Amino acid sequence: MIALAVFDMAGTTIDDGGAVYRALEQAVVETGVPVAAEDLQRWMGAEKRAAITALIELGGGDPTEPADAVDRAFARFRALLAERYAAEPPTPIAGVPEAITALRDAGVRVALTTGFSREVAEGILRELDWSVGGDGGAEDRGGDGGEPALRIGEPALRIDALVCGDEVVAGRPAPYMIHRAMERTGVLDVAEVVVAGDTVVDVQAGAHSGAAASYGVLTGKLDRADFVGQPATDLLESVAEIPARIARLG
């Protein structure tokens, strides 16, 4: 049986119009280095400070010069992303809310993971009226995260846990956010977990975690060719297909 589905946010469950790509690229370019498209794709989905550090280095720069270069670029990334989200708010990807509801109705917990900081991620969820916990889940019981639900009252959609890149030792492609999602939802066996995301590091993290399945989805900026040679269990058009896939696995 599958007990937990772990999904990425931007590009996987949420359509942000590519705002994260553009904000990350601009923030790094403003440090004075170029950003190659293939490098940007490689580091999308990773924790954003780590991504900025790597992209500065790949562009021929020194992320330690000046000493606060990464902090300044990260602050700029957040500002740019806020501007883009204010101009064009993110929306749920078609079919995803229904899929998450179907999974939870079937007894499968759903967690979101993201390379965003918690402050940014919670802000996005508030805009969508999506709530974390609120129904006796691990987060409500003051478990590993101990966060309160994001709002009081009945939200448009409820998920069981949110794990952010700044809450673990290393973000994707490390598996730690997935394992933290297991902690927060009380799932003990990684063989009862499926993972889905729209980037290469998403499927790598899923494979590294030992999950029963690590799906690549094509609702982000990558196409099928970009996943060639990666450890994806399969490529799906959308997370909307996950309930049917889990029914087969279960």
Side-chain angles (χ1 to χ4, degrees):
M1 293 292 293
I2 298 302
L4 172 65
V6 181
F7 301 145
D8 172 52
M9 286 182 62
T12 300
T13 54
I14 297 166
D15 181 3
D16 74 341
V20 175
Y21 276 80
R22 297 194 299 272
L24 182 60
E25 179 181 31
Q26 184 174 341
V28 175
V29 167
E30 287 181 4
T31 69
V33 302
V35 176
E38 59 270 23
D39 292 335
L40 186 61
Q41 288 184 355
R42 174 186 172 192
W43 282 94
M44 283 305 301
E47 192 277 322
K48 294 303 176 281
R49 289 180 186 274
I52 288 168
T53 301
L55 290 170
I56 291 174
E57 291 176 339
L58 289 166
D62 182 353
T64 66
E65 184 58 45
D68 64 346
V70 173
D71 288 340
R72 291 167 60 183
F74 179 70
R76 180 60 174 149
F77 161 74
R78 289 181 56 183
L80 289 166
L81 188 63
E83 290 173 7
R84 294 184 183 278
Y85 280 172
E88 188 175 347
T91 58
I93 289 174
V96 168
E98 294 81 0
I100 291 175
T101 299
L103 289 170
R104 298 186 79 243
D105 286 348
V108 178
R109 290 193 174 271
V110 177
L112 299 183
T113 58
T114 178
F116 296 137
S117 64
R118 177 163 282 268
E119 180 183 358
V120 173
E122 287 186 342
I124 295 170
L125 296 186
R126 279 194 296 269
E127 287 293 323
L128 296 171
D129 195 23
W130 289 12
S131 180
V132 178
D135 61 349
E139 294 202 1
D140 295 316
R141 294 194 301 268
D144 183 76
E147 306 88 345
L150 294 184
R151 69 188 293 276
I152 298 174
E154 191 60 31
L157 184 71
R158 199 182 299 281
I159 60 172
D160 297 289
L162 169 67
V163 182
C164 302
D166 60 350
E167 298 174 338
V168 291
V169 173
R172 305 174 187 123
Y176 306 132
M177 285 198 291
I178 297 166
H179 294 157
R180 182 63 58 86
M182 293 175 61
E183 293 176 19
R184 291 185 177 173
T185 55
V187 175
L188 302 179
D189 189 350
V190 74
E192 296 178 351
V193 179
V194 297
V195 178
D198 67 302
T199 69
V200 166
V201 292
D202 287 319
V203 298
Q204 290 174 344
H208 292 157
S209 76
S214 182
Y215 296 113
V217 296
L218 302 175
T219 46
K221 293 295 184 181
L222 305 188
D223 57 27
R224 291 182 178 273
D226 294 311
F227 287 97
V228 171
Q230 298 301 323
T233 303
D234 201 355
L235 297 181
L236 309 181
E237 292 299 324
S238 168
V239 161
E241 297 180 33
I242 295 289
R245 292 299 180 113
I246 285 181
R248 295 181 205 170
L249 289 173

